Amino acid sequence: MTSQSAPSHPPDICVLLHAHGEQRWLFSEVVPVLRQLEQPACLPEDQRGAAIAYLEVLWLDAQLRAADTDAAHAKLEAAHANGDRLLHEKAHRYHATVHRERGAIAQRIAALARSDHHAAAPQHAGF
């Protein structure tokens, strides 16, 4: 019986695949929950804690995806562009775009966490 290993994609293709997957995850899973939490009227107060916990889990998964994307990008940086230079440049630009989007979402999550912390602060008199 022969074992077949998974095909090895060139570094630029790997970056494009990882960046695309990360971007889709961010905008299909993380951002909708974040939007609901940013608009207090959209979510009953008794469901807010569960939504924040769910967002935390989604964000942990997003960070793992980001690490995979960044690792693929690091391999691209280490590799010499022996193939299609245009594809190589597109991979760099796509990674940079997803990296910026990731940073913007992280800032929104941090702002949400700060606002939630400040909203809860009056309930905890010693803090």
Side-chain angles (χ1 to χ4, degrees):
M1 196 169 167
T2 62
S3 84
Q4 293 180 335
S5 61
S8 177
H9 297 294
D12 45 14
I13 298 296
C14 287
V15 171
L16 290 169
L17 291 171
H18 281 283
H20 181 71
E22 180 184 351
Q23 186 180 50
R24 283 186 53 94
W25 177 259
L26 289 170
F27 287 100
S28 67
E29 301 296 329
V30 177
V31 170
V33 176
L34 180 58
R35 282 186 184 143
Q36 280 190 326
L37 286 164
E38 288 174 331
Q39 300 173 8
C42 290
L43 194 64
E45 191 59 38
D46 63 336
Q47 294 178 8
R48 189 164 181 81
I52 289 172
Y54 183 58
L55 179 62
E56 289 174 359
V57 170
L58 291 175
W59 189 241
L60 288 173
D61 194 354
Q63 289 174 323
L64 293 173
R65 292 168 187 269
D68 288 344
T69 301
D70 290 345
H73 185 256
K75 287 180 184 176
L76 179 64
E77 287 290 308
H80 298 289
N82 295 331
D84 184 351
R85 185 71 191 151
L86 182 60
L87 189 59
H88 189 85
E89 291 171 4
K90 283 183 179 183
H92 278 290
R93 285 194 306 272
Y94 200 4
H95 176 263
T97 298
V98 173
H99 191 267
R100 280 191 305 274
E101 292 169 345
R102 180 193 318 154
I105 293 168
Q107 288 178 349
R108 289 171 61 189
I109 290 173
L112 179 67
R114 283 191 302 274
S115 69
D116 257 25
H117 176 72
H118 291 303
Q123 298 170 357
H124 306 291
F127 295 91

